[in-house]
Amino acid sequence: MGKNGRMTQQSLAVVVLAAGQGTRMRSATPKVLHQISGRTLIGHVLTTARELEPQHVVVVVRHERDAVVAALDESTPGLIVVDQDEIPGTGRAVELALAALPPGFDGDVAILSGDVPLLGPAELAALLAGHRTSHAAATLLTAALADASGYGRIVRGANGLVDRIVEHADASAEELLIGEVNSGTYVFAAAALRAALPRIGAQNAQGEKYLTDAIGILRADGSPVAATIADDPASVAGINDRVQLAEAERILNARIVRDHQRAGVTIRDPQTTWIEVDVTIGQDSEILPGTRLRGATTIGQNAIIGPDTTLTDTEVGDLATVARTDATLAVIGTAATVGPFAYLRPGTVLGAAGKIGTFVETKNTTIGKGSKVPHLSYVGDTEIGEGSNLGASTITANYDGVNKHRTKIGSHVHTGVHNSLVAPVEIGDDATIGAGAVVRKDVPPGALAVSVAPQRNVDGWAARHAGESGGVSSPEAAAPAGAAPAADDAVADGA
Ligand code: UD1
Ligand code: CA
């Protein structure tokens, strides 16, 4: 039943064709599961279909059917999955789809291809509205393409009306010159489709039941067929190989970038900025060249991201800056700074005004408000309180070869440069650690921990070694392995 009390003549079923192998992709992954802008091709098509609020959505599958079915959004209202049999062709696919609708269904049937991802809901709604106004048996969406190669061509009669569609493989030299192509998107009156489908044969170059033949059959019966030419031919581009996949992604990305720009985001270089469909970005944030924002990434307001940054499923707060960084499943707090050259692995949570600096890797680590890991560190499985500072090259030794252990660092802690924190270990609030320390025992709050032997200077050492072969800078002359030259010079001399 339709909206606004309009009954069956307004009801709609959408059929999505996704059974084909996609041979030209040359892929182990079924074609419709390849992604552009972070969503599978069929995911894009289903998103568009849902916007029309159809009563039924029939997806026809066959090749790698389990993988395709698993990727379908099960929450799609009215979803029906239909398995295509061994009879090949888009005509057969639609025949089986139609048979899966409730027996009395006599509304409109919109047919979409699982490999045409750029067609938007507005274009589809316009096609449907045109079809309903004209009361045609079928309405085609066509496009004028500079390169029509591979597409079915629209053959119009002397009166300018559509006569039939001829597939590329079956077209004569003259027909191949036709620039108007079939987009593979149609609306049919269910009854007309039901009458035409059983009459489609497979006597053609590909030995398949072509859905496109339904048009010629309806016209021969004297039924009216309408055609709408797409305003934007790029929207109807079908994806058959990986060249077309990349072209489609560039077009979609340009649309996404433009939408963010119009919503108040500064994007310096649209050509090198890649933003996936589900990403959100707050007003007055700035995206610098070479940035990829992926998955469920969200960026707050007035943040600066990039250059050369990839964020996947990452949350960035207002006023944060993230430069030359790779982050996945991380949370970056308000006004925090990250990079340049930082690697944030899953479970990294950086508090407000915190810092993860240059050549720093973090994983499964919470860094409290205002705490800093500024230089050359690995921090994993760690919790850091507020206002602490880790010295350059502080490393958590979280893995003993079998198990991972946690490090706990309190608030207002200062670790030294080149510290190894051997987990499990806990450093209390306000503690300080000396340079070069290897921390194997807990450090109580407020304590100073040192673990490096006191330094000894051997006076006049250089003068005594002057003239020795190779000099003191030679590794052989320096000392036997394991002994520093200055450590026990007198003993070494006497031996
Ligand atoms: C089809 C059209 C062509 C049109 C083009 C637009 C036919 C015969 N030709 O050609 O006129 O210009 O789309 O992109 O329809 N599929 C099935 N079952 C099958 C075969 C295909 O479900 O047995 C599905 C595919 O998975 C795909 C869609 O139908 O999603 C189109 O099939 P494809 O083989 O790509 O058709 P084209 O040769 O591109
Ligand atoms: Ca195709």
Side-chain angles (χ1 to χ4, degrees), residues 280-318:
T280 65
I281 310 175
Q283 205 178 312
D284 285 318
S285 280
E286 183 170 350
I287 312 297
L288 301 178
T291 295
R292 300 175 70 203
L293 303 178
R294 308 185 57 222
T297 291
T298 65
I299 312 285
Q301 298 187 357
N302 297 291
I304 302 175
I305 312 295
D308 302 326
T309 291
T310 299
L311 306 181
T312 304
D313 300 326
T314 287
E315 188 184 321
V316 180
D318 297 344

Side-chain angles (χ1 to χ4, degrees), residues 91-118:
R92 181 59 177 169
V94 172
E95 198 173 9
L96 295 171
L98 206 61
L101 291 174
F105 182 83
D106 68 346
D108 297 311
V109 181
I111 297 173
L112 311 180
S113 286
D115 66 347
V116 179
L118 300 182

Side-chain angles (χ1 to χ4, degrees), residues 69 94 122 139 226 230 299 344 423 432 475:
V69 170
V94 172
T139 304
I299 312 285
L344 280 56
T432 299

